[in-house]
């Protein structure tokens, strides 16, 4: 039963701390997406990768956020330093084609105090 | 960015009734997809309709697409309590999906 996994599921941290979220896409999927979801803004695309190369990260605040794919089985999203306004649920998704459905992970619920 | 607008924002109906949600978008598309999100969970793909299709069915789901009006509708027939969730439409662009704000559906027992 192939699925996208994300760790941690929940993270509570203090303002100024570094946060790292990890995602394992479905094996064989070559496109990986990072989203952020809040009540106010809804679902926002932060960045996405194709074949491990970043295609678009224009949705991401560059001064504090960074996204990488060290290898085909791991995508990371880092926030440094974190701020209370970063509190949200962060989702990773993957798919295998340009117009195909996306498969979402369970999300990381981040709370920055 | 959000291209789609869903209507209504919230919908509350009795179990057994049909639920209809609408989605409008702005640019030309390759396909349009509907997703469901249960509270606290990730989004789950429901159905994909291509730009050259007008109607598609999957179980109790029926999706229509009118490219001339740039709109789509999702009909859930014979609703159940388990259908309580948020429903999102998304249009497929260049590798990414452009998302609507979602319709929150509540099924009352």
């Amino acid at each position: 039963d192939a699925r996208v996994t994300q760790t941690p599921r929940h993270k509570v941290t203090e303002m100024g701390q570094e946060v790292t979220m990890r995602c394992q896409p479905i094996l064989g999927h070559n496109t990986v997406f990072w989203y952020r979801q809040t009540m106010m803004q809804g679902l926002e695309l932060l960045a996405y990768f194709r074949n491990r190369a970043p295609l678009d990260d224009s949705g991401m605040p560059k001064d504090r956020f960074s996204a990488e794919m060290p290898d085909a089985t791991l995508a990371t999203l880092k926030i440094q330093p974190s701020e209370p306004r970063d509190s949200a649920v962060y989702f990773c998704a993957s798919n295998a084609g340009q117009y195909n459905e996306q498969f979402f992970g369970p999300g990381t619920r981040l709370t920055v105090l | 960015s959000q291209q789609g607008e869903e209507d209504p924002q919230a919908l509350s109906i009795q179990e057994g009734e049909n639920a209809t949600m609408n989605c409008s978008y702005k640019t030309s598309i390759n396909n349009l997809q509907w997703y469901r999100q249960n509270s606290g969970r990730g989004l789950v793909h429901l159905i994909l309709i291509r730009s050259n299709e007008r109607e598609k069915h999957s179980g109790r789901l029926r999706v229509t697409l009118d490219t001339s009006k740039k709109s789509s509708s999702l009909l859930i027939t014979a609703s159940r309590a388990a259908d309580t969730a948020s429903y999102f439409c998304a249009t497929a662009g260049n590798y990414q999906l452009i998302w609507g704000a979602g319709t929150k559906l509540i099924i009352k027992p």
Side-chain angles (χ1 to χ4, degrees), chain A residues 50-90:
Chain A
R50 181 167 173 82
N51 296 325
R52 295 177 56 203
L55 279 194
D56 188 348
D57 61 1
S58 59
M60 210 163 61
K62 301 289 191 308
D63 56 338
R64 299 184 299 108
F65 284 60
S66 62
E68 295 179 344
M69 279 202 74
D71 61 60
T73 65
L74 176 65
T76 62
L77 179 66
K78 289 186 182 179
I79 308 174
Q80 168 62 24
S82 58
E83 297 180 0
R85 59 180 167 150
D86 301 328
S87 295
V89 181
Y90 291 80

Side-chain angles (χ1 to χ4, degrees), chain A residues 7 23 28-29 35 44 46 49 59 87 104:
Chain A
T7 57
C23 165
H29 284 188
Y35 292 95
E44 302 173 276
L46 297 176
F49 295 76
S87 295
F104 279 74

Side-chain angles (χ1 to χ4, degrees), chain A residues 35 37 45 48 98-99 102, chain B residues 31 35 37 93-94 96 99:
Chain A
Y35 292 95
Q37 187 177 38
L45 177 66
Y48 64 101
Q98 184 173 359
Y99 301 115
Q102 293 184 11
Chain B
N31 66 61
Y35 289 75
Q37 184 179 31
N94 186 22
Q96 61 177 292
W99 296 87

Side-chain angles (χ1 to χ4, degrees), chain B residues 78-94:
Chain B
S79 62
R80 305 168 181 169
D83 295 329
T84 293
S86 292
Y87 292 81
F88 295 85
C89 71
T91 52
N94 186 22

